[in-house]
Amino acid sequence: MIHNPGIECMPREDMRKLQSERLVKQVKICYDNVPFYKKKMDEKGVKPEDIKSIDDIVKLPFTCKTDLRDEYPFGLQAVPMSKIRRIHASSGTTGKPVVDTYTDNDIANWSEGVARVMAVGNVGPGDVVQVAYGYGLFTGGLGVHEGAHTRGAIQLPTSAGNSSKQIMLMKDFGSTALACTPSYALHLAEVIEKSDVKIGDLKLRVGFFGAEPWTEGMRRELERKLNIKAYDIYGLTEMSGPGVGGECECQNGTHLWEDMFFPEIINPDTLEPCAPGECGELVFTSLCKEAMPILRYRTRDLTRLIYEPCKCGRTMVRMDKILGRSDDMLIVRGVNVFPSQIETVLTEFPVFTPQYYITVDRKDNEDSFDLDVELREEFFSPNPSKQMPYIKPLYDRIVSLVGIKPNIHIKEPGSIMRSTGKAKHVTDKRILYND
């Protein structure tokens, strides 16, 4: 099902025209109402009248997360507080949070974006959407909540945590859709396996998972354990929250709602545009955000854009699976390692759960790479000699695919920490030596 065919299936030439009109308007708003952007544009020698079409977007300055934190809390706001209806912010675990504010129209557009994703799963009146993203300043909970409302579905705002109660409500209230991080969904599946509730007792049929990268192996695991169809929903606080894009039924890339968020791919080192189809850093410009418009925001997400027509009929560009973040990439003994690569390997081995934890350290002036993994209960033994037949194939596969030689440690099933929000998979102790 397509929520808004007139936009989602718009001919490419019409989309470019719409994007151009919106960019021209947005740039003028930023220049006239946001001192930060006026200064940045003046420094580049760019005036609003220089932006005549979407092709001119390359003339504009980039915006980085440090800019948003430096302008905390409302330095990038383009409208007076009297027009603001909502404030959200990131967790701010590494400093001041990234703030986003919303007008009534911003909330409506945000809800529209989420609704387009949910329509893929045929979510509508009568469906019970269990929203197990965190509510509060985090955009996940309320963003999906509003999208479900736009689709006419019933919202069940359980938020994250209290997993046993989540399962009880899922069964008693007849939840048909689940929205949360993929790592938390997997944890819920593990809780169900250990409870008296059977998958057949549940009405779940679809899940919308995002807020962290996840692999095809994780998708298969979730679909098998929860008996659902699992869809990726993509977003970021800086562009409103979840609903910047989502998968269609073909699941061959994530459609980005480029009528509202214009995507680019740049080389993260040179900052020059990448060739079509080339992998690089994803950059977004908000085309119709009123409260806090953002120009050319560097997401640090590494991916590529797919412009070939999709069989679903949507003409919106597709984003390939995110490889990782340029600022999450580990360089270990000269090798570039993304945590998602480890997850990909793990899901190739049915004897392991998808749970893992990486610890990078420096010993005797050499980098070490320790990997904690879990065997499933039916394969686990505390006897190290019985673990070796499982360790060797995993070791060889990681060396072959990733190029790093890990020190693999088998942990007892359920012992690796689960997360109700974004999963944490890495500790890099080398940072301590660089302070």
Side-chain angles (χ1 to χ4, degrees), residues 130-210:
Q130 185 161 334
V131 185
Y133 285 109
Y135 279 69
L137 286 177
F138 175 58
T139 57
L142 283 168
V144 174
H145 184 107
E146 295 281 0
H149 181 268
T150 298
R151 286 295 302 166
I154 301 165
Q155 306 106 61
L156 178 56
T158 57
S159 193
N162 201 345
S163 300
S164 296
K165 188 174 182 180
Q166 294 267 7
I167 304 307
M168 181 189 76
L169 297 179
M170 188 181 292
K171 178 178 181 293
D172 294 347
F173 293 174
S175 300
T176 56
L178 174 64
C180 60
T181 64
S183 55
Y184 188 52
L186 186 61
H187 175 60
L188 289 176
E190 292 174 340
V191 174
I192 292 172
E193 287 180 338
K194 296 175 181 177
S195 73
D196 295 331
V197 176
K198 307 299 180 185
I199 288 295
D201 298 332
L202 304 177
K203 295 183 179 180
L204 273 186
R205 59 179 182 80
V206 65
F208 301 98
F209 307 123

Coordinates of all heavy atoms in Angstrom, one line a residue, residues 130-210:
Q130 N 2.2 -1.1 18.8 CA 2.9 -1.0 20.1 C 4.2 -0.3 19.9 O 5.2 -0.7 19.3 CB 3.2 -2.5 20.6 CG 3.8 -2.5 22.0 CD 3.7 -3.8 22.7 OE1 2.7 -4.6 22.4 NE2 4.5 -4.2 23.6
V131 N 4.3 0.9 20.4 CA 5.4 1.8 20.3 C 6.4 1.6 21.4 O 6.1 2.2 22.5 CB 5.0 3.3 20.1 CG1 6.2 4.2 19.8 CG2 3.9 3.5 19.0
A132 N 7.4 0.8 21.2 CA 8.4 0.5 22.3 C 9.7 1.3 22.1 O 10.7 0.9 22.6 CB 8.6 -1.0 22.4
Y133 N 9.6 2.4 21.3 CA 10.7 3.3 21.3 C 10.6 4.2 22.6 O 9.4 4.3 23.1 CB 10.7 4.2 20.1 CG 11.1 3.6 18.8 CD1 10.2 3.4 17.8 CD2 12.4 3.4 18.5 CE1 10.6 2.8 16.6 CE2 12.8 2.8 17.3 CZ 11.9 2.6 16.4 OH 12.3 2.0 15.2
G134 N 11.6 4.8 23.0 CA 11.6 5.6 24.2 C 10.8 6.9 23.9 O 10.9 7.5 22.9
Y135 N 9.9 7.2 24.8 CA 9.1 8.5 24.7 C 9.9 9.6 25.5 O 10.8 9.3 26.3 CB 7.7 8.4 25.4 CG 6.7 7.7 24.4 CD1 6.8 6.4 24.0 CD2 5.7 8.5 23.9 CE1 5.9 5.8 23.2 CE2 4.8 7.9 23.0 CZ 4.9 6.6 22.7 OH 4.0 6.0 21.8
G136 N 9.6 10.8 25.3 CA 10.3 11.9 25.9 C 11.0 12.8 24.9 O 10.5 13.0 23.8
L137 N 12.2 13.2 25.3 CA 13.0 14.1 24.4 C 13.4 13.3 23.1 O 13.6 13.9 22.0 CB 14.2 14.7 25.1 CG 13.9 15.8 26.1 CD1 15.2 16.2 26.8 CD2 13.3 17.0 25.4
F138 N 13.7 12.0 23.2 CA 14.0 11.2 22.1 C 12.9 11.2 21.1 O 11.7 11.1 21.4 CB 14.3 9.8 22.5 CG 14.6 8.8 21.4 CD1 15.6 9.0 20.5 CD2 13.8 7.7 21.3 CE1 15.8 8.1 19.5 CE2 14.0 6.7 20.3 CZ 15.1 7.0 19.4
T139 N 13.2 11.4 19.8 CA 12.2 11.5 18.8 C 11.4 10.2 18.4 O 10.3 10.3 17.9 CB 12.8 12.1 17.5 OG1 13.8 11.2 17.0 CG2 13.4 13.4 17.7
G140 N 12.0 9.1 18.8 CA 11.4 7.8 18.4 C 10.0 7.6 18.8 O 9.1 7.3 17.9
G141 N 9.7 7.7 20.1 CA 8.4 7.3 20.6 C 7.3 8.2 20.0 O 6.4 7.7 19.4
L142 N 7.4 9.5 20.2 CA 6.3 10.3 19.7 C 6.3 10.4 18.2 O 5.2 10.6 17.6 CB 6.5 11.7 20.4 CG 6.0 11.8 21.8 CD1 6.5 13.2 22.4 CD2 4.5 11.7 21.9
G143 N 7.4 10.3 17.6 CA 7.4 10.3 16.1 C 6.6 9.2 15.5 O 5.7 9.4 14.7
V144 N 6.9 8.0 16.0 CA 6.1 6.8 15.5 C 4.7 6.9 15.9 O 3.7 6.5 15.2 CB 6.8 5.5 15.9 CG1 5.9 4.3 15.5 CG2 8.2 5.4 15.3
H145 N 4.5 7.4 17.1 CA 3.1 7.5 17.7 C 2.3 8.4 16.8 O 1.1 8.0 16.4 CB 3.2 8.2 19.1 CG 1.9 8.4 19.8 ND1 1.6 7.6 20.9 CD2 0.9 9.2 19.6 CE1 0.4 8.0 21.4 NE2 0.0 9.0 20.6
E146 N 2.8 9.5 16.4 CA 2.1 10.4 15.5 C 1.8 9.8 14.1 O 0.8 10.0 13.5 CB 2.8 11.8 15.3 CG 2.9 12.6 16.6 CD 1.7 13.3 17.0 OE1 0.7 13.2 16.2 OE2 1.7 14.0 18.0
G147 N 2.8 9.1 13.6 CA 2.6 8.4 12.3 C 1.5 7.4 12.3 O 0.8 7.3 11.4
A148 N 1.5 6.6 13.4 CA 0.4 5.6 13.6 C -1.0 6.3 13.6 O -2.0 5.8 13.0 CB 0.6 4.8 14.8
H149 N -1.0 7.5 14.3 CA -2.3 8.2 14.3 C -2.7 8.7 13.0 O -3.9 8.6 12.6 CB -2.1 9.5 15.3 CG -3.3 10.3 15.4 ND1 -3.5 11.4 14.6 CD2 -4.4 10.2 16.3 CE1 -4.7 12.0 14.9 NE2 -5.2 11.3 15.9
T150 N -1.7 9.2 12.2 CA -2.0 9.6 10.8 C -2.6 8.5 9.9 O -3.4 8.7 9.1 CB -0.7 10.2 10.1 OG1 -0.3 11.3 10.9 CG2 -1.0 10.6 8.7
R151 N -2.1 7.3 10.2 CA -2.6 6.1 9.5 C -3.9 5.6 10.0 O -4.6 4.7 9.5 CB -1.6 5.0 9.5 CG -0.4 5.1 8.7 CD -0.7 5.1 7.2 NE -1.3 3.9 6.8 CZ -2.0 3.8 5.6 NH1 -2.0 4.8 4.8 NH2 -2.5 2.6 5.3
G152 N -4.4 6.2 11.1 CA -5.7 5.8 11.6 C -5.6 4.6 12.5 O -6.7 4.0 12.9
A153 N -4.4 4.2 12.9 CA -4.2 3.0 13.8 C -4.3 3.4 15.3 O -4.3 4.6 15.6 CB -2.9 2.4 13.5
I154 N -4.5 2.4 16.1 CA -4.5 2.5 17.5 C -3.1 2.6 18.0 O -2.3 1.7 17.7 CB -5.2 1.3 18.2 CG1 -6.7 1.2 17.6 CG2 -5.2 1.5 19.7 CD1 -7.3 -0.1 17.9
Q155 N -2.7 3.6 18.8 CA -1.4 3.7 19.4 C -1.3 3.1 20.8 O -2.1 3.5 21.6 CB -1.0 5.2 19.4 CG -1.1 5.9 18.1 CD -2.2 6.9 18.1 OE1 -2.3 7.8 18.9 NE2 -3.2 6.7 17.2
L156 N -0.4 2.2 21.0 CA -0.2 1.6 22.3 C 1.2 2.1 22.8 O 2.2 1.5 22.4 CB -0.2 0.1 22.2 CG 0.1 -0.7 23.5 CD1 -0.9 -0.3 24.6 CD2 0.0 -2.2 23.3
P157 N 1.3 3.2 23.6 CA 2.5 3.8 23.9 C 3.2 3.2 25.1 O 3.2 3.7 26.2 CB 2.1 5.3 24.2 CG 0.7 5.2 24.8 CD 0.1 4.0 24.0
T158 N 3.8 2.0 24.9 CA 4.4 1.3 26.0 C 5.8 1.9 26.4 O 6.3 1.6 27.4 CB 4.6 -0.2 25.6 OG1 5.4 -0.3 24.4 CG2 3.3 -0.8 25.5
S159 N 6.5 2.6 25.4 CA 7.8 3.1 25.6 C 8.8 1.9 25.7 O 8.3 0.7 25.5 CB 8.0 4.0 26.8 OG 9.2 4.7 26.7
A160 N 10.0 2.1 26.0 CA 11.0 1.0 26.1 C 11.1 0.5 27.5 O 10.8 1.2 28.5 CB 12.3 1.5 25.6
G161 N 11.5 -0.7 27.7 CA 11.8 -1.3 29.0 C 10.6 -2.1 29.5 O 9.5 -2.2 28.9
N162 N 10.8 -2.7 30.7 CA 9.8 -3.6 31.4 C 9.3 -4.6 30.4 O 8.1 -4.7 30.1 CB 8.6 -2.7 31.9 CG 7.8 -3.4 33.0 OD1 7.9 -4.6 33.1 ND2 7.0 -2.6 33.7
S163 N 10.2 -5.5 29.9 CA 9.9 -6.4 28.8 C 8.8 -7.4 29.1 O 8.0 -7.7 28.2 CB 11.2 -7.1 28.5 OG 12.2 -6.2 28.1
S164 N 8.7 -7.9 30.3 CA 7.6 -8.8 30.7 C 6.3 -8.2 30.5 O 5.3 -8.8 30.0 CB 7.8 -9.3 32.1 OG 9.0 -10.0 32.2
K165 N 6.2 -6.9 30.9 CA 4.9 -6.2 30.8 C 4.6 -6.0 29.3 O 3.5 -6.0 28.8 CB 4.9 -4.9 31.6 CG 3.5 -4.3 31.6 CD 3.5 -3.0 32.5 CE 2.1 -2.4 32.6 NZ 2.1 -1.2 33.5
Q166 N 5.7 -5.7 28.5 CA 5.5 -5.5 27.1 C 4.8 -6.7 26.5 O 3.9 -6.6 25.7 CB 6.9 -5.3 26.4 CG 7.6 -4.0 26.8 CD 7.4 -2.8 25.9 OE1 6.5 -2.9 25.0 NE2 8.1 -1.7 26.1
I167 N 5.3 -7.9 26.8 CA 4.8 -9.1 26.3 C 3.3 -9.3 26.7 O 2.5 -9.7 25.9 CB 5.7 -10.3 26.6 CG1 7.1 -10.1 26.2 CG2 5.1 -11.6 26.0 CD1 7.3 -9.7 24.8
M168 N 3.1 -9.0 28.0 CA 1.7 -9.2 28.5 C 0.7 -8.3 27.7 O -0.3 -8.7 27.2 CB 1.6 -8.8 29.9 CG 0.3 -9.0 30.6 SD 0.2 -8.3 32.3 CE 0.1 -6.6 31.9
L169 N 1.1 -7.0 27.5 CA 0.3 -6.1 26.8 C 0.2 -6.4 25.3 O -0.9 -6.3 24.7 CB 0.8 -4.7 27.0 CG 0.8 -4.1 28.4 CD1 1.4 -2.7 28.4 CD2 -0.6 -4.1 29.0
M170 N 1.2 -6.9 24.8 CA 1.2 -7.3 23.4 C 0.2 -8.4 23.1 O -0.6 -8.4 22.1 CB 2.6 -7.9 23.0 CG 2.8 -8.2 21.5 SD 4.5 -8.8 21.3 CE 5.5 -7.3 21.6
K171 N 0.1 -9.4 24.1 CA -0.9 -10.4 24.0 C -2.3 -10.0 24.3 O -3.3 -10.2 23.6 CB -0.5 -11.6 24.9 CG -1.5 -12.8 24.9 CD -0.9 -13.9 25.8 CE -1.9 -15.1 25.9 NZ -3.2 -14.7 26.5
D172 N -2.4 -9.3 25.4 CA -3.8 -8.9 25.9 C -4.4 -7.8 25.1 O -5.7 -7.9 24.9 CB -3.7 -8.4 27.4 CG -3.3 -9.5 28.3 OD1 -3.3 -10.7 27.9 OD2 -2.9 -9.2 29.5
F173 N -3.6 -6.9 24.5 CA -4.2 -5.8 23.7 C -4.2 -6.1 22.2 O -4.7 -5.3 21.4 CB -3.5 -4.5 24.0 CG -3.6 -4.0 25.4 CD1 -2.9 -2.8 25.7 CD2 -4.5 -4.5 26.3 CE1 -3.0 -2.3 27.0 CE2 -4.6 -4.0 27.6 CZ -3.9 -2.9 27.9
G174 N -3.7 -7.3 21.9 CA -3.7 -7.7 20.5 C -2.9 -6.8 19.5 O -3.3 -6.5 18.4
S175 N -1.6 -6.5 19.9 CA -0.8 -5.7 19.1 C -0.5 -6.4 17.8 O -0.2 -7.6 17.7 CB 0.6 -5.4 19.8 OG 0.4 -4.8 21.0
T176 N -0.7 -5.6 16.7 CA -0.4 -6.2 15.4 C 0.9 -5.6 14.7 O 1.4 -6.2 13.8 CB -1.6 -5.9 14.4 OG1 -1.8 -4.4 14.4 CG2 -2.9 -6.5 14.9
A177 N 1.4 -4.5 15.3 CA 2.6 -3.9 14.8 C 3.5 -3.6 16.0 O 3.0 -3.1 17.0 CB 2.3 -2.7 13.9
L178 N 4.8 -3.8 15.8 CA 5.7 -3.4 16.9 C 6.7 -2.4 16.3 O 7.3 -2.6 15.2 CB 6.5 -4.7 17.3 CG 7.6 -4.5 18.3 CD1 7.1 -3.9 19.7 CD2 8.4 -5.8 18.6
A179 N 7.0 -1.4 17.0 CA 8.0 -0.4 16.6 C 9.0 -0.1 17.7 O 8.6 0.3 18.8 CB 7.3 1.0 16.3
C180 N 10.3 -0.4 17.5 CA 11.3 -0.2 18.5 C 12.7 -0.4 17.8 O 12.7 -0.6 16.5 CB 11.2 -1.2 19.6 SG 11.3 -3.0 19.1
T181 N 13.8 -0.4 18.5 CA 15.1 -0.7 17.9 C 15.1 -2.2 17.6 O 14.5 -3.0 18.3 CB 16.2 -0.3 18.9 OG1 16.1 -1.1 20.0 CG2 16.2 1.2 19.2
P182 N 15.9 -2.6 16.6 CA 16.0 -4.0 16.3 C 16.6 -4.8 17.4 O 16.2 -5.9 17.7 CB 16.8 -4.0 15.0 CG 17.5 -2.7 15.0 CD 16.6 -1.7 15.6
S183 N 17.6 -4.2 18.1 CA 18.2 -4.9 19.2 C 17.2 -5.2 20.4 O 17.2 -6.3 21.0 CB 19.4 -4.2 19.8 OG 19.1 -2.9 20.1
Y184 N 16.3 -4.2 20.6 CA 15.3 -4.4 21.6 C 14.2 -5.4 21.2 O 13.7 -6.2 22.0 CB 14.6 -3.1 22.1 CG 13.7 -3.3 23.3 CD1 14.1 -3.9 24.4 CD2 12.4 -2.9 23.2 CE1 13.3 -4.1 25.5 CE2 11.5 -3.0 24.3 CZ 12.0 -3.6 25.5 OH 11.2 -3.8 26.6
A185 N 13.9 -5.4 19.9 CA 12.9 -6.4 19.4 C 13.5 -7.8 19.5 O 12.7 -8.7 19.9 CB 12.6 -6.1 17.9
L186 N 14.8 -8.0 19.3 CA 15.4 -9.3 19.5 C 15.3 -9.7 21.0 O 15.1 -10.8 21.3 CB 16.8 -9.2 19.0 CG 17.6 -10.6 19.0 CD1 16.9 -11.6 18.1 CD2 19.0 -10.4 18.5
H187 N 15.6 -8.7 21.8 CA 15.5 -9.0 23.3 C 14.0 -9.4 23.6 O 13.9 -10.4 24.4 CB 15.9 -7.8 24.1 CG 15.7 -8.0 25.6 ND1 16.4 -8.9 26.3 CD2 15.0 -7.3 26.5 CE1 16.0 -8.8 27.6 NE2 15.2 -7.8 27.7
L188 N 13.0 -8.7 23.1 CA 11.7 -9.1 23.4 C 11.4 -10.6 22.9 O 10.7 -11.3 23.5 CB 10.7 -8.2 22.7 CG 10.6 -6.8 23.3 CD1 9.7 -5.9 22.5 CD2 10.1 -6.8 24.8
A189 N 12.0 -10.9 21.7 CA 11.8 -12.2 21.2 C 12.4 -13.3 22.2 O 11.8 -14.4 22.4 CB 12.5 -12.4 19.8
E190 N 13.5 -13.0 22.7 CA 14.2 -13.9 23.7 C 13.3 -14.0 25.0 O 13.2 -15.1 25.6 CB 15.5 -13.4 24.1 CG 16.5 -13.4 22.9 CD 17.9 -12.8 23.2 OE1 17.9 -12.0 24.2 OE2 18.9 -13.1 22.5
V191 N 12.7 -12.9 25.4 CA 11.8 -12.9 26.6 C 10.6 -13.8 26.3 O 10.2 -14.6 27.2 CB 11.4 -11.5 27.0 CG1 10.3 -11.5 28.1 CG2 12.6 -10.7 27.4
I192 N 10.0 -13.7 25.1 CA 8.9 -14.5 24.7 C 9.2 -16.0 24.8 O 8.5 -16.8 25.3 CB 8.4 -14.1 23.3 CG1 7.8 -12.7 23.4 CG2 7.3 -15.1 22.8 CD1 7.4 -12.1 22.0
E193 N 10.4 -16.3 24.2 CA 10.9 -17.7 24.2 C 10.9 -18.3 25.6 O 10.7 -19.5 25.8 CB 12.2 -17.8 23.5 CG 12.2 -17.6 22.0 CD 13.5 -17.7 21.4 OE1 14.5 -17.5 22.1 OE2 13.6 -18.0 20.2
K194 N 11.2 -17.5 26.6 CA 11.4 -18.0 28.0 C 10.1 -17.8 28.8 O 10.1 -18.2 30.0 CB 12.5 -17.3 28.6 CG 13.9 -17.5 28.0 CD 15.0 -16.7 28.6 CE 16.3 -16.9 28.0 NZ 17.4 -16.0 28.5
S195 N 9.1 -17.3 28.2 CA 7.8 -17.1 28.9 C 6.8 -18.2 28.5 O 7.1 -19.1 27.7 CB 7.2 -15.7 28.5 OG 6.7 -15.7 27.2
D196 N 5.6 -18.0 29.2 CA 4.5 -19.0 28.9 C 3.8 -18.6 27.6 O 2.9 -19.3 27.1 CB 3.5 -19.0 30.0 CG 4.2 -19.6 31.3 OD1 5.1 -20.4 31.2 OD2 3.8 -19.2 32.4
V197 N 4.1 -17.4 27.1 CA 3.4 -16.9 25.9 C 4.0 -17.6 24.6 O 5.2 -17.7 24.5 CB 3.5 -15.4 25.7 CG1 2.9 -14.9 24.4 CG2 2.9 -14.7 26.9
K198 N 3.1 -18.0 23.8 CA 3.6 -18.7 22.5 C 3.4 -17.6 21.4 O 2.5 -16.8 21.4 CB 2.8 -19.9 22.2 CG 2.8 -20.9 23.3 CD 4.2 -21.4 23.7 CE 4.2 -22.4 24.8 NZ 5.6 -22.8 25.2
I199 N 4.2 -17.7 20.4 CA 4.1 -16.8 19.2 C 2.7 -16.9 18.6 O 2.2 -15.9 18.2 CB 5.2 -17.1 18.2 CG1 6.6 -16.7 18.7 CG2 4.9 -16.4 16.9 CD1 6.7 -15.2 18.9
G200 N 2.2 -18.1 18.6 CA 0.8 -18.3 18.1 C -0.2 -17.6 18.9 O -1.4 -17.3 18.4
D201 N 0.1 -17.2 20.1 CA -0.9 -16.4 20.9 C -1.0 -15.0 20.5 O -1.9 -14.2 21.0 CB -0.5 -16.5 22.4 CG -0.6 -18.0 22.9 OD1 -1.3 -18.8 22.4 OD2 0.2 -18.3 23.9
L202 N 0.0 -14.5 19.8 CA 0.1 -13.1 19.5 C -0.4 -12.8 18.1 O -0.5 -13.7 17.2 CB 1.6 -12.6 19.5 CG 2.4 -12.9 20.8 CD1 3.8 -12.5 20.7 CD2 1.7 -12.2 22.0
K203 N -0.9 -11.5 17.9 CA -1.4 -11.1 16.6 C -0.4 -10.3 15.8 O -0.7 -9.8 14.7 CB -2.7 -10.3 16.8 CG -3.8 -11.0 17.4 CD -5.1 -10.2 17.6 CE -6.2 -11.0 18.2 NZ -7.4 -10.1 18.3
L204 N 0.9 -10.2 16.3 CA 1.9 -9.5 15.6 C 2.0 -9.9 14.2 O 2.1 -11.2 13.9 CB 3.2 -9.6 16.3 CG 3.6 -8.7 17.4 CD1 5.0 -8.9 17.8 CD2 3.4 -7.2 17.1
R205 N 2.1 -9.0 13.2 CA 2.4 -9.4 11.8 C 3.4 -8.5 11.1 O 3.9 -8.8 10.1 CB 1.1 -9.3 11.0 CG 0.4 -7.9 11.0 CD -0.9 -7.9 10.2 NE -1.4 -6.6 10.1 CZ -1.0 -5.6 9.4 NH1 0.0 -5.8 8.6 NH2 -1.6 -4.4 9.4
V206 N 3.8 -7.3 11.8 CA 4.7 -6.4 11.1 C 5.5 -5.7 12.2 O 5.0 -5.4 13.3 CB 4.0 -5.5 10.2 CG1 3.1 -4.5 11.0 CG2 5.0 -4.6 9.3
G207 N 6.8 -5.3 11.9 CA 7.6 -4.6 12.8 C 8.3 -3.5 12.0 O 8.7 -3.6 10.8
F208 N 8.5 -2.3 12.7 CA 9.2 -1.2 12.1 C 10.4 -0.9 13.0 O 10.2 -0.3 14.1 CB 8.3 0.0 12.0 CG 7.1 -0.3 11.1 CD1 5.8 -0.6 11.7 CD2 7.2 -0.2 9.7 CE1 4.7 -0.9 10.9 CE2 6.1 -0.5 8.9 CZ 4.8 -0.8 9.5
F209 N 11.6 -1.2 12.6 CA 12.7 -1.1 13.4 C 13.8 -0.1 12.9 O 14.1 -0.1 11.7 CB 13.4 -2.5 13.5 CG 12.4 -3.6 14.0 CD1 12.1 -4.7 13.2 CD2 11.6 -3.4 15.1 CE1 11.2 -5.7 13.6 CE2 10.7 -4.4 15.5 CZ 10.5 -5.5 14.7
G210 N 14.3 0.7 13.7 CA 15.3 1.7 13.3 C 16.1 2.2 14.5 O 16.1 1.6 15.6

